[in-house]
Amino acid sequence: MAYAINISDAELQKSAVTYRKDLLVMPVIAAEATLQHMTPRPGVAGREVLGQLSGGIELGPYDPQRYDDDGLDIKPRTLETYLGSVIKRFDLNSVAKTVYGSLTTQGEALTSLDLARQVLNYLSMQLGRNLNLHIWNAKRNDTGTKTKDLFDGFDTITQKEIAAGTIDTTEGNFMQLSQAIDESNATDILMSIYESADDILQGVPTKMFVPVSVYRAYNKDYLASFGNVVYNTQFKKTYLEGTDNLCELVPLVSKKGSPFIHLTTKSNMIYGYGDGLDSEKIAIEKHHEFLLSFVATMFFGCQFEAINKERLMVAKLASV
């Protein structure tokens, strides 16, 4: 089908203003492959204090004169989002043709206004691809120019906590693997990580974040070990064996090259974003005869809500 709808830079500029808040959320939507397993915290610009309340309270035999004055502690953690920016020059006709062609193959009829919005969606979602890839290994670098320089990812945060001694074997939230994971031992090793976690963590729904290579090794090892067992009805295993479907295996492309496997809850994995705050921006500007500039600023960052053993277990891979 021929490209027949014309779209002007004026229409694109107007649409950027009209749909600004929706467009600012698009990068987060585009990173859903990873972020669907985490908990959002919208509207965060800069720092927000998270906290895990700890302390005990118990019933005892009736005694109207007994008081429990033991304190409740809050161990604060800071979620910090950073303001990132990008100015991307592009050829409107080329991008519009790409978007128009991909949508019309699905039988959708487009007006020029529809196409303007789809072009902006396309550009905004490209930002999310790198958020998805660097949610673990990003490391804040004030002089950097890439997504990986914008914020501290979960692996970077983990490494800092290990260096500080707050994630450690003595804390009950860390273990060092002695063997590299392969197709002959993946099942045993992943089960050992789970079984090394605190009983409280084992008693709630959790997610085990692993590289795709580890997940594939687990599937193959599981098939070799349990392939003839009656209850083994599928090759793909979503939950870790022996956990009563409490531990979901989450293989992520963004975990490639990661030195860690993380076992925790969805609620403990926090990511913050601006959600259309006034200081965030989406705009189309023209400073070139033929090219337009896509200008965007947005906040993003991540943090563990808590790192105590009841909420987190980290295993460091032997091969890294």
Side-chain angles (χ1 to χ4, degrees), residues 183-250:
E183 297 174 11
S184 67
N185 62 18
T187 302
D188 287 340
I189 290 179
L190 295 191
M191 290 175 68
S192 73
I193 295 171
Y194 185 82
E195 291 168 357
S196 296
D198 188 82
D199 289 347
I200 293 176
L201 189 58
Q202 291 186 49
V204 298
T206 54
K207 294 176 182 285
M208 183 178 285
F209 296 95
V210 300
V212 174
S213 59
V214 169
Y215 178 67
R216 288 175 177 164
Y218 174 80
N219 276 335
K220 292 178 180 179
D221 185 29
Y222 186 92
L223 181 65
S225 301
F226 303 102
N228 296 322
V229 178
V230 174
Y231 64 80
N232 182 30
T233 59
Q234 60 177 354
F235 175 66
K236 178 182 177 182
K237 308 304 295 182
T238 306
Y239 292 94
L240 182 65
E241 175 68 17
T243 66
D244 293 327
N245 287 354
L246 282 176
C247 180
E248 179 185 2
L249 294 172
V250 182

Side-chain angles (χ1 to χ4, degrees), residues 14-71:
K14 182 178 179 180
S15 294
V17 174
T18 302
Y19 303 115
R20 170 185 162 275
K21 187 166 183 178
D22 290 342
L23 293 169
L24 285 167
V25 178
M26 277 295 164
V28 175
I29 294 174
E32 186 181 2
T34 294
L35 298 183
Q36 65 178 308
H37 301 288
M38 301 173 181
T39 300
R41 191 66 61 95
V44 180
R47 296 187 174 189
E48 180 174 302
V49 176
L50 310 173
Q52 171 65 31
L53 186 66
S54 63
I57 180 171
E58 296 186 46
L59 287 171
Y62 179 77
D63 182 353
Q65 302 302 316
R66 186 183 65 248
Y67 299 93
D68 182 353
D69 294 322
D70 291 342

Side-chain angles (χ1 to χ4, degrees), residues 72 127 182 186 237 240 286 300 303:
L72 294 175
L127 299 178
D182 58 33
K237 308 304 295 182
L240 182 65
K286 187 170 185 179
F300 193 83
Q303 183 59 272

